[in-house]
Amino acid sequence: MRKLLMIMLLCIPVFALAQNKTVDSLKKILTATKADTLKADLYYQIALELQRMDPVQSQKMIDQAMVIAQKLKYQKGLANVYAFMSVQYSNRGEFDSMRIASEKTIQIAEKNNLPLIVAKGHNGLGIYYWQTGNYSEAVKNHLAALAIREKLKDTLGICASLGNLSLVYFDNQNPKKSEQYALQSLALARKVNKTSMIVSCLQMLANVYGQGGQFDKALKMDAEALAICKEHNDTLGLSQVYSNMANCYAAMKQYDKALQYQQEVLKIDRFFNDKKQISDTYMNISGIYSEKKDYKTALDWMKKGLVLSQESKYKQGEKLGWGALSHIYEQLGDYKNALQAHQKYQSISVEMINENSNKQIALMQTRFDTEKKEQKINLLNKENTIQRLSISKQQTTIAIIIGLLLVSILVAGLVYNRNKLKQKALLQAEMLRHQDMMTKAVIDAEEHERKRIGADLHDGVGQLFSAVKMNLNGLFERISLEREEDKFLAENTLALVDESCKEVRVISHQMMPNMLLRSGIASDLKSFIEKIDADSLKIRLETTGFKDRLESNVETMLYRIIQETINNVIKHAHATQLDIILKRDAREITAVIKDNGVGFDTEKASTFEGIGLKNILTRIEYLRGTIEYDSAPGKGTTVTVNVPV
C-alpha cells in the first residue's frame, strides 16, 4: 500500500515557510501590537508556521487565537481557527471531528462573506471525503474550492486545490489525471517559490512514478524534496519523503533499506501522534515482510495497523488492511481466518461503491488477486514391525492403547485436513463470486452509459442535423444559384448533411442496449447486418439453435462481442466478404467470424491494446468463455468465440 500523507499546505492556502526566523519575527510583532484582533491573527500565523515542525507549540498558539477570537466574537479569527483545527484532526486521524470543523468553517465564513475561508472549509471537506473513500464528494468539494480561488486569483489556493485533486485521482486509480494536476500545482508552487507546496507536489509525482515502475524518476523527485525539507526543517515533509523512498526500495526488492526508511517514518508519525499515518506505516512495514515471505511478522504489523485504521475510521486503509490480512492468513494456511478477512474486505468494498460516482470510478476496478495452490494431502503410512513380546496381560493392554491412539490421531488428522480443504474451497468460491459481482457492476455501468450516449446522439445531435438540413433546403429554395459550381456545392452540402443524419442515427441505434430485448440475438444480428452497405462488405450470417431466448445479460454481452468484432472488420480489415456462423447446442454457444481482409500479426502485443479488444476480453471473462484469433498478414482473420451455456 502506498502511503499518501495529507500535507497541511493542501488544506490551508495562506502560510509562510516553517523557519525559525519567520516565527521570531511574528513573535516580535505580537509583543509590540495592542490590537486584540491582530493578536488573534498573529497567533494563527505562528501556529501555521509551527504546524509542520512542532505540533505541541503549534497547538498552544492556536488555543490562544481561539480564546481571543471567542472573547471578541471575531468571526474571521474563529473561521480561521476552525479551518486550522480541521487540519489538526486530519493529522491525528480524527475524521468525524475534521468534518465538523470544516462544516463550521464554511458556516461562519459564508455568514460573514469570507470567500477564501469558505474555500478552506471546502478543502477540508474534500480531504475528509477522500480519507473516508467517498471520491465523488471529495472531487465536488475540491472543485468548489478551486472555483472560488480562481475567481479571486488566489495563486496559493489554486496550487493547493490542484494538489488535492491530484491526490484524489491517484487513489481513484487514474495516474494520468493525477500526474496532470500535480504538474500544474508544481508549476504554480515554483512560480511563487512556496517550498512546502513544492515538496508536496514532488512527493505526489514520486507516488505516481513509483506506482508506474519508474523508480529512478521517483527517487529523483524524492531527492529534490529531501533537500528542501532538511533545509527548512520540514519534519512532516521528511515523513512523506522517507515513505516514498521506502516504497521504491521495496518495489526494487531492497527490503532492508526499505525497512530502515519506514522506521524513520514511524518515528515522525508518532511525534505528530497521527493514528491514520501510523496505521499506514504499520501496513507498509507488514507489506515488506510479506514480500520477504516472513508472514508471521507481517501478520503482527498488519493487525496493529488495522486496529488504528478502525479507530480513526480510515475506510480506505481498513479495506486494504483486510485484503492484505486475508492474503497473509492464506499464506499461513489459516483458511478460516482468511475467509473471514476477505468477507470484511468485500463488505467495505461494497460500501465504498457509490452510484453517484460511477462515471469517476468506472476505471476503478477492485480485483482481489490470489494464488490458487492446492495442497497435497500426504498421508504417511508407517508399518510397525511388532517384535516378539512376552505374553502378558499388561503388555497386551499397552499395545491395544497405543494402537487406538494411533488410529485416533490418524482419524483426527483426516478430519482436520478435510475441514481445511473445505474452508479453502469456500474462500475461493467467495472470491470468485466477488470478482463476478464487481465485473458485472462495471459492465452494467458501461451499458447504462452507452444507452445515455445513444439517446443524446439521437435526441440531441440527430435533431440538430435534421434542423440544419431543413434550413439549408429552405435557404437554397429562396436564393438563385446561377453558376453550376455553386449548384454543385449546394447539392454536395445537402448530401453531406443527409449522410451525417444517417450516420448519427446508425451510431445511436448501435449504442442502445435495449434493442436486444425485441426478438433475440439471432434476429437482431440480422437487423444490424442489414444496415451495413452490401456493396462495400458482403456479409453471410448462419444461425442455428436459437429458438429459445438466452438469459438477458448473456445475450447482451454476446451481441456486443460480435458487434465490436464486425466493427473492427469494417474499420481495419479492408475486407469484401465476411462470414458469421452462430451455433448453440446443449453445452455451449460458438461464434465464428471470418473475413478475407488484410489480416494482422497476432504475436505483436500492441495488437491487443485497443479499447475495443479490451472490452471484448472483459465480456468474454464475464461469460467465462474463450476467444481465439487466427490471422496473418495478407491471409484474413478468423475469430472463434466459445461461451458455455
Side-chain angles (χ1 to χ4, degrees), residues 82-83 86 97-107 120-125 128:
Y82 279 116
S86 171
S97 299
M98 179 190 183
R99 176 181 56 80
I100 293 170
S102 298
E103 290 173 346
K104 191 74 174 177
T105 302
I106 295 173
Q107 179 186 350
K120 293 181 188 180
H122 279 299
N123 242 12
L125 283 179
Y128 163 77

Side-chain angles (χ1 to χ4, degrees), residues 13 66 89 94 112 134 144 146 164 188 216 235 250 259 269 280-281 341 422 426 532 620:
M66 173 63 95
Y89 289 132
E94 298 172 14
N112 294 276
N134 192 337
L146 182 61
N164 277 331
L188 286 177
D216 290 341
T235 307
L259 286 170
D269 291 345
D280 272 350
T281 305
K422 185 178 179 181
L426 285 173
I532 299 172
I620 287 291

Side-chain angles (χ1 to χ4, degrees), residues 137-163:
E137 284 297 317
V139 170
K140 177 183 174 182
N141 278 279
H142 286 316
L143 289 177
L146 182 61
I148 294 171
R149 290 163 171 174
E150 286 181 339
K151 183 178 180 180
L152 298 177
K153 298 182 180 179
D154 174 20
T155 304
L156 292 179
I158 294 169
C159 181
S161 291
L162 291 172

Side-chain angles (χ1 to χ4, degrees), residues 16 291 583:
E291 289 291 324
K583 297 190 300 182

